[in-house]
Structure formats: C-alpha cells, structure tokens
Amino acid sequence: MNKTLYKQEKTISILGCGWLGLPLAKFLMKNACSVKGSTPTPEKISRLAQDGITPYLIFFDPEINADFDADFFNSEILIVNFPPKRREDIEEFHPKQFKALIEQLNLSSVKKVIFISSTSVYANLNRLVTEEDNQIPEKNSGKALRIVEKMLLSQQNFQTSIIRFGGLIGYDRKPGRFFSKMKNAVEGDTPVNLIHQDDCINIISHLIENNLWGEIYNACCPKHPSRKEFYEEAAKKGGFESPKFVSNQSPYKIISSAKLEKTHYKFKFSNPIDALI
C-alpha cells in the first residue's frame, strides 16, 4: 500500500467522477484511500471500475434514482462535485436535488462533506472579493449555489467545508480555443479568476489532511492577469488564432484566496499563465 498523506486510511465517496472527480479519485487511491465514485451515466460504470474505483450509478432528478445503492454513502467523507444544470428553474431545481441528497446523508455514516462550489456565487463588485461578501450574484446558477451552500452548512449531523473554485483549466481544457473563433472584439482589461486541476486536487486533499471542516474557502490562482494577457498567451501556446481585444473592462471581480493561503496551502500555479502548455 502506498504511504498515505493522512493520519489513517480513509473511505471517501466522490459524488460526480467527471473531469475533476476522476483524477481526484485516482490521487486519493494513490494515498491509501478507499474510494467510491458515482456517475449519472451507466456507460461510465465500467470505466470507473477499470480505474480501481468502486462504481455507483447515482443521479438526482431532482429525487435520487430509485435503484441507487445506499452503500455509496457508507463512508467517512463525501465529496460533492456536481454543478447546477443549465435550466431556467435552476434556483428551484438545484435545492430540491440537495434536499434529496441531505436526506440520504442524514441516514448515512458520513460525518464530513466537501462541497465543490464556484466563484459564480459572487456578484461583480469591481473589486477584490472575499468569503465575507454576500451580495446577490447576477447568474441564476450562482444564486442556486448560494442556497445549497446554506443548506449544507446548516446541517447538524455532518460538517461541511465549501471550496469555491474559479474557472477550471488544465490538461485537455485548452483555453486558447475559447475566444479564437469570435468575430467581435473581446474586452481585454477584465481580470481572470482561474485555477488548474492539479491545484484543485491538492486543495481538496489539503482540507482533508488538515481537518479544515466547517469553513468556506475561495480557490483561485493568486495572480489575476487581464483577459488579454492570458488568452493571447493561451492562443499562442495552443496554436490557435489570437482573438481581437479592445481596451475595455466589463463588470468584474477579483477573487481573493488569502484565507486558503493562511492555512499554509501553497499553489502549484500562482499565475494561470504559468499553467499553460
């Protein structure tokens, strides 16, 4: 067995083994954790099993699927990693999904939860924002996340820590492609709030290793280059046509990760430009 990062071997369930959840599961298994992973897609069950993850078919529509296996929730720690769906009624639908999830958690052995949230919970305040900022965000998805965060934090049977990740980059995600096909010029002065997949995984592990429960943490690269600086370099590195930018700034926010850094977490990529390959 590999040497564990943690004080003792843990059983961890990951609700949502997609772009982030799958490599997270592999990382945790390398560090002597027993990992259960869920997918809403039957075709992906065999893929999880091939990677050594104990697979479960679980989805919320908004109730949990009738044929789910409750053994998935027989773990010490649950990592919840499924974002709000793109639908008009997401402010009502997403909380219903979490009501169903919380019902299962209250029947389970789970005592610790990590909820993967997003910086979309913040309004564009045209300044640095911290975990203390509670202004209503513009996007309905951000409003939905605010609601489910409060639902989880209010529970008495388990503790929740929330990680609000910025825009996810790394590996097969090629940000240079993002603006390359746009015919209209893009506002270039707006700062970006991004984070690499490796840092996402390391931060989740950091919270578990250091027992940082019952907290909310922002998680973005500490440096925030302008959209023009980042995407011009991303296009160059990726071999894409460079987008056209105008010197204009749309409403923005600069996400502070100072609270996370005070826990002695050190970012692998302090500047998202350094993460480009």
Side-chain angles (χ1 to χ4, degrees):
M1 181 178 289
N2 293 327
K3 184 179 178 181
T4 179
L5 286 175
Y6 314 118
K7 292 182 175 64
Q8 61 185 34
E9 185 175 351
K10 298 182 184 299
T11 301
I12 298 177
S13 292
I14 302 176
L15 185 60
C17 284
W19 183 82
L20 175 59
L22 182 58
L24 171 63
K26 293 177 180 179
F27 174 89
L28 293 171
M29 287 189 297
K30 286 180 180 177
N31 289 284
C33 289
S34 174
V35 177
K36 302 175 182 181
S38 81
T39 175
T41 309
E43 294 76 22
K44 291 185 179 178
I45 290 289
S46 60
R47 166 71 192 278
L48 296 184
Q50 288 170 8
D51 286 324
I53 303 162
T54 306
Y56 295 81
L57 181 69
I58 296 180
F59 56 88
F60 295 86
D61 195 28
E63 299 297 326
I64 194 168
N65 50 302
D67 59 348
F68 85 100
D69 186 345
D71 182 64
F72 174 78
F73 297 102
N74 183 24
S75 294
E76 298 169 66
I77 297 170
L78 174 69
I79 300 170
V80 183
N81 180 40
F82 69 96
K85 293 183 176 181
R86 293 184 179 180
R87 48 188 295 160
E88 290 184 4
D89 65 343
I90 193 59
E91 285 183 74
E92 294 78 35
F93 186 82
H94 207 42
K96 287 179 181 177
Q97 291 179 300
F98 275 78
K99 180 176 182 293
L101 172 59
I102 289 168
E103 287 174 358
Q104 295 304 319
L105 289 177
N106 285 332
L107 296 172
S108 77
S109 61
V110 172
K111 296 302 177 187
K112 309 289 186 185
V113 173
I114 293 177
F115 176 51
I116 306 304
S117 188
S118 163
T119 55
S120 66
V121 300
Y122 295 114
N124 289 319
L125 301 174
N126 299 324
R127 61 169 171 79
L128 190 74
V129 298
T130 72
E131 293 84 355
E132 304 301 317
D133 284 298
N134 292 312
Q135 290 85 345
I136 297 172
E138 289 79 9
K139 292 184 178 181
N140 289 339
S141 59
K143 295 174 185 176
L145 285 171
R146 281 275 185 189
I147 295 169
V148 300
E149 285 184 358
K150 290 179 181 177
M151 291 172 67
L152 290 167
L153 290 170
S154 70
Q155 299 305 307
Q156 301 298 314
N157 291 337
F158 56 87
Q159 279 186 296
T160 299
S161 278
I162 294 167
I163 308 175
R164 294 169 174 168
F165 284 131
L168 304 178
I169 60 172
Y171 302 109
D172 58 332
R173 293 197 172 184
K174 302 295 184 184
R177 185 187 294 124
F178 192 68
F179 290 120
S180 63
K181 301 289 186 182
M182 292 189 67
K183 295 180 180 179
N184 297 327
V186 179
E187 293 174 332
D189 295 338
T190 306
V192 298
N193 297 292
L194 300 170
I195 187 165
H196 192 274
Q197 185 189 85
D198 288 351
D199 272 310
C200 293
I201 291 171
N202 291 340
I203 289 165
I204 293 167
S205 177
H206 178 76
L207 264 61
I208 296 170
E209 183 182 1
N210 292 283
N211 290 308
L212 298 172
W213 302 108
E215 296 288 344
I216 300 174
Y217 295 100
N218 292 337
C220 286
C221 296
K223 296 188 183 301
H224 305 266
S226 70
R227 192 182 280 173
K228 181 176 187 293
E229 290 173 315
F230 178 78
Y231 285 102
E232 279 188 343
E233 187 64 22
K236 180 181 176 182
K237 290 279 180 69
F240 301 104
E241 182 180 349
S242 181
K244 296 181 177 64
F245 290 98
V246 293
S247 185
N248 241 340
Q249 193 174 79
S250 55
Y252 70 94
K253 56 203 171 198
I254 299 175
I255 304 298
S256 169
S257 295
K259 180 180 176 180
L260 177 64
E261 291 181 286
K262 286 178 182 176
T263 70
H264 306 293
Y265 179 76
K266 296 189 182 303
F267 280 83
K268 179 178 180 179
F269 297 106
S270 292
N271 190 328
I273 291 177
D274 295 337
L276 294 171
I277 57 173

